[in-house]
Amino acid sequence: MTNSAPTDGAPRIWVVLGDKQGDNAQVESIVQALPWDSERKHIQVLDEFVFGKPRVGPTLYHIDRQRTDPLEPPWPDMILTSGRRPANVAMWIREQSGGHSKIIFIGKPSSMPEDYELIIYSAEHQFPVLPNLQPITLPLMRVDEAQVAAAANEWEARLADLHRPLTAFLVGGPTGPFLFNAKAARRLQATIRQVIAETGGTAYITTSRRTPPAVVEALQSDLPAAARLFTWSADASDNPYRALLGLADGFVVTGDSISMMVEVVRLRKPLAILGLPVGAVGTVDLLRRSLTRWLFDPRSRSPLDRLRQAAGRALYRLRILTHTRDFVAFHNMLVARGLAVHAGEPLRAPVGEVPDDLAIAVQRIVALAGDT
């Protein structure tokens, strides 16, 4: 896509991107499928907001203006974005435009749906049925198969001496309601040993930026002989993640990481989802998420369903219920579709069709542009 000005009546589109690659990847997948050019605006947040959460609203106080792409008129007709920090910038841009710019948000926003003209969200997110919401099945991030192939080619000789099958363990980090504590580490270690014992192969574990140091230390201190461990660090130059996507025979992904599950699913590789422990508060939170999912379920087969949905919308507008993520429901959806198994079950090749709702998302955006 170019940064050229709109021609032939096409809308002027800005794409506001932050530093989270998963968010950016979903936005980019849509941008590349749109029939118009767009202009990318990369923002740089101030150090204190790399992990700290800025307040939600039309503001730029959380970004470094000197290192952020220029934000100046002519203002866009449409803005595509994802993530809390870029969304603040998008709302500021719309404010400067006098309300003209329409915001399309991908994922689960930190504010309410009325702050956006369109929200496109995947199945782990739970929202009530509202006219400016577009549900899809899987997050829209794509796997760059050329990059995976290149990494696999680079690493093939380095992994050649490992006993097959090679099972990659992709480890995330704490995300409510899940805990990444000693119990989680023990569950992970037990699963590693089980897979090695059942397959006679090798386990290759990779941690991530979110993996707690205590879990990393537990893995390092009790690593089976038939296992390899890569510990993530910001300056690591030999991260095997992409190579494993291409070379591993199967995958076990911790239940917190939707993005890693989706990458494996899109490559049609065998996937097992490792459930994580929850505490007393987490147990109550799981019940809350399950209730929210039931009330917000968009399926309407009877008057009682419509009554249930109306109750869900009312509780949502009163802020008694909020939109949320239901990880367990997402895990079960992948299993029900034949795209994954629960950890502890034998890994097997996926049998179900991989949903691809990109065309649905693009169609909604094109329709919204027609109202601009």
Side-chain angles (χ1 to χ4, degrees), residues 52-216:
K53 292 183 178 181
R55 65 176 182 271
V56 175
T59 179
L60 302 182
Y61 86 103
H62 60 302
I63 71 170
D64 185 335
R65 295 294 299 272
Q66 297 300 315
R67 297 189 298 138
T68 292
D69 288 339
L71 303 172
E72 55 194 27
W75 303 113
D77 301 304
M78 305 177 75
I79 308 165
L80 273 70
T81 195
S82 182
R84 183 190 193 104
R85 296 155 188 81
N88 281 356
V89 176
M91 286 189 273
W92 180 88
I93 294 167
R94 182 177 58 194
E95 189 175 74
Q96 307 313 301
S97 76
H100 170 76
S101 302
K102 296 181 178 180
I103 303 175
I104 298 96
F105 188 93
I106 317 302
K108 182 178 78 70
S110 298
S111 55
M112 299 299 287
E114 54 263 32
D115 289 331
Y116 308 92
E117 280 67 39
L118 176 62
I119 298 172
I120 298 168
Y121 68 98
S122 47
E124 74 272 26
H125 302 303
Q126 307 301 321
F127 283 93
V129 178
L130 294 170
N132 65 323
L133 301 181
Q134 176 60 59
I136 56 176
T137 308
L138 296 182
L140 293 173
M141 73 264 300
R142 293 293 191 263
V143 181
D144 190 325
E145 296 193 26
Q147 287 186 7
V148 170
N153 183 63
E154 179 183 348
W155 277 75
E156 188 170 15
R158 298 171 65 175
L159 304 181
D161 62 336
L162 301 182
H163 290 295
R164 293 283 180 161
L166 175 61
T167 304
F169 283 75
L170 311 181
V171 183
T175 300
F178 301 123
L179 301 177
F180 245 84
N181 53 10
K183 184 177 181 180
R186 289 193 297 271
R187 186 175 296 183
L188 178 57
Q189 289 167 323
T191 306
I192 292 168
R193 294 183 182 280
Q194 177 189 357
V195 168
I196 291 172
E198 290 179 352
T199 67
T202 304
Y204 205 123
I205 306 105
T206 69
T207 64
S208 66
R209 179 174 66 174
R210 296 187 298 111
T211 309
V215 173
V216 175

Side-chain angles (χ1 to χ4, degrees), residues 328-352:
V328 174
F330 189 81
H331 303 166
N332 292 338
M333 181 270 292
L334 292 181
V335 171
R337 286 175 173 265
L339 299 173
V341 299
H342 294 293
E345 301 173 16
L347 282 163
R348 59 170 173 76
V351 296

